[in-house]
Amino acid sequence: AFWVEGNTVYSTGLPGVSKSTDGGLNWNTLPAGYLSYEGGLDIWKDGSVILTGSNLGKHRSTDEGAAWGAPMNGLPATGASAFTQIDSTLFIATNSGSYRSVDHGGNWVALGALPFTVGVSSWASIGSDLFAGTNDGVYHSTDHGRTWTAINEGLAPKTLIYKMAYDDQYLY
């Protein structure tokens, strides 16, 4: 996964987080505290705060990746696969459920009962609309994840939505 801010690019994968300040020509590995076999799945950044999710856990830095281990209160001790943001609300998909935070990931609250019995594998946000990709298709929320509607017309039953992309008009 990548996060791009001008010529600065952050990447997460095996074995952790890397940063480039020249558009990806040269890279430096950040000290994220990842295990050598812990693969990064997604990354999110806002200001100096960086969050990463991996198959084994979650990592948070409040100083642009110089140090890791900042608290993420309210989350289970499981992996995390995806992040997205709507306004000041951040969303995370973990192996044990989905959560939201309004303080850059310091404190989290569960989204509550979702209409699908499987976990979220990807997020997309377009304006104030939140989309959850699952192994049962795509779900849409217009109220920050409080209520959900399936939008699976044209998809085969139990379609796995591992990643989503969007432009100004379409969700892919």
Side-chain angles (χ1 to χ4, degrees):
F2 294 94
W3 187 272
V4 180
E5 291 180 331
N7 281 335
T8 301
V9 182
Y10 293 85
S11 173
T12 184
L14 282 173
V17 180
S18 298
K19 179 181 179 180
S20 171
T21 57
D22 58 10
L25 295 175
N26 297 287
W27 294 88
N28 293 311
T29 301
L30 300 179
Y34 274 64
L35 302 170
S36 62
Y37 51 86
E38 183 178 357
L41 299 174
D42 203 5
I43 188 166
W44 172 88
K45 184 176 185 297
D46 188 29
S48 62
V49 178
I50 302 172
L51 302 178
T52 65
S54 76
N55 54 337
L56 297 177
K58 302 153 293 297
H59 302 272
R60 181 171 179 250
S61 171
T62 57
D63 56 10
E64 295 197 359
W68 297 81
M72 296 176 80
N73 301 313
L75 289 177
T78 61
S81 60
F83 300 99
T84 198
Q85 184 175 358
I86 297 175
D87 300 322
S88 62
T89 303
L90 177 62
F91 298 87
I92 187 172
T94 75
N95 298 350
S96 300
S98 297
Y99 299 80
R100 72 174 150 254
S101 172
V102 294
D103 63 357
H104 288 92
N107 296 285
W108 296 87
V109 176
L111 288 184
L114 300 172
F116 34 94
T117 59
V118 296
V120 174
S121 56
S122 62
W123 294 114
S125 56
I126 303 172
S128 61
D129 291 344
L130 178 63
F131 300 88
T134 74
N135 70 356
D136 192 21
V138 178
Y139 290 81
H140 175 227
S141 175
T142 58
D143 58 8
H144 287 83
R146 289 176 185 84
T147 60
W148 297 90
T149 303
I151 55 169
N152 295 318
E153 185 175 332
L155 294 176
K158 303 290 183 186
T159 296
L160 169 61
I161 307 297
Y162 188 69
K163 286 288 183 185
M164 294 183 285
Y166 55 90
D167 61 21
D168 292 337
Q169 292 183 306
Y170 300 101
L171 177 69
Y172 304 97

